[in-house]
């Protein structure tokens, strides 16, 4: 079953923060009315082991954004995952990685 909604988490280190900031602004500049871009979070949060920012979008944008991320990610790791409400499943079986896979903290879902 295909998800109708997705999250992308763009991970960065302190050294890569400026690249993340530039990438975030480039996503905002796409001016896609149905895509929500969140602020940079400079610390680990939830299952995410390093700093990141999030982008929310519908399945209608999946192919476009996945391809766009692949071309523009500037060496940053990106997790794109389904958003079905089953967080553990979404971030494992429903996940696509671009770049280096991060070790998520799945213990928070238990």
């Amino acid at each position: 079953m295909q998800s109708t909604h997705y999250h992308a988490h763009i991970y960065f280190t302190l050294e890569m923060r400026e690249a993340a900031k530039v990438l975030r602004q480039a996503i905002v500049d796409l001016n896609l009315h149905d895509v929500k871009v969140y602020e940079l979070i400079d610390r680990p949060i939830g299952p995410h082991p390093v700093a990141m920012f999030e982008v929310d979008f519908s399945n209608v944008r999946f192919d476009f954004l996945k391809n766009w991320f692949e071309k523009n990610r500037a060496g940053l790791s990106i997790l794109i995952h389904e958003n079905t409400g089953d967080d553990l499943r979404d971030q494992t079986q429903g996940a696509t990685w671009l770049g280096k896979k991060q070790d998520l903290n799945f213990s928070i879902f238990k």
Side-chain angles (χ1 to χ4, degrees), residues 71-85:
K71 293 175 186 168
N72 296 285
R73 64 184 185 84
L76 299 170
S77 296
I78 300 177
L79 164 63
I80 302 172
H81 70 79
E82 297 177 351
N83 186 26
T84 67

Side-chain angles (χ1 to χ4, degrees), residues 25-92:
Q25 188 59 52
I27 299 165
V28 169
D29 290 346
L30 291 172
N31 202 30
L32 303 172
H33 71 279
D34 56 344
V35 174
K36 182 164 181 157
V37 183
Y38 293 86
E39 296 298 323
L40 275 64
I41 300 173
D42 291 323
R43 59 182 170 73
I45 186 170
H48 310 288
V50 297
M52 63 97 187
F53 71 95
E54 182 177 334
V55 179
D56 293 350
F57 55 96
S58 73
N59 63 332
V60 173
R61 296 284 186 196
F62 181 85
D63 288 335
F64 171 79
L65 283 173
K66 181 178 179 277
N67 291 331
W68 191 92
F69 287 142
E70 285 175 337
K71 293 175 186 168
N72 296 285
R73 64 184 185 84
L76 299 170
S77 296
I78 300 177
L79 164 63
I80 302 172
H81 70 79
E82 297 177 351
N83 186 26
T84 67
D86 182 344
D87 291 331
L88 181 58
R89 185 216 162 276
D90 291 348
Q91 295 184 42
T92 54

